[in-house]
Amino acid sequence: MSQPGDDELHIASFVIQHRTDAAEALAAAIAAAPELELAIPGQTRSVVLCESADRYAVMDRIEQLRAVPGVLNVLLVYHHAEPRDALEAEVEARPETNLAGVHP
């Protein structure tokens, strides 16, 4: 049986504040979760992307990352949910316009 939201894709990004010695453990935790991607690694701040079919999984990943030794904080910066079929639909090309917004 289908649950509400099963056809949605949730896209989120996190900024993780961490100690310099936590980078290896943080990278391992991210690699272990297929929904996560280390987009921008940093000395004390990193950006992580999350794609999930479930909003609760987004929150679970935040808690999972907070539990990594040396992680000081995980900040949800962006969260967007959209029907999966809308994201997979082809986008029609728009006619080109010049700088004045007039079609050639």
Side-chain angles (χ1 to χ4, degrees):
M1 174 179 250
S2 176
Q3 298 292 324
D6 279 350
D7 61 343
E8 288 185 333
L9 179 63
H10 292 261
I11 302 167
S13 63
F14 317 130
V15 172
I16 303 175
Q17 297 170 312
H18 54 85
R19 293 190 171 95
T20 55
D21 59 351
E24 190 174 320
L26 182 59
I30 292 167
E35 301 92 358
L36 299 178
E37 176 186 338
L38 183 58
I40 304 174
Q43 291 277 332
T44 58
R45 274 178 253 138
S46 299
V47 176
V48 174
L49 302 178
C50 178
E51 288 188 11
S52 173
D54 178 337
R55 70 175 169 232
Y56 300 108
V58 172
M59 299 309 295
D60 289 344
R61 293 301 161 253
I62 289 173
E63 292 306 316
Q64 177 186 6
L65 294 169
R66 280 187 177 144
V68 173
V71 168
L72 305 172
N73 200 5
V74 178
L75 305 163
L76 175 65
V77 179
Y78 177 81
H79 179 229
H80 176 78
E82 193 163 329
R84 189 176 296 275
D85 59 351
L87 289 171
E88 294 172 353
E90 288 199 33
V91 177
E92 288 184 34
R94 293 176 41 184
E96 291 186 34
T97 59
N98 60 23
L99 293 178
V102 178
H103 296 288

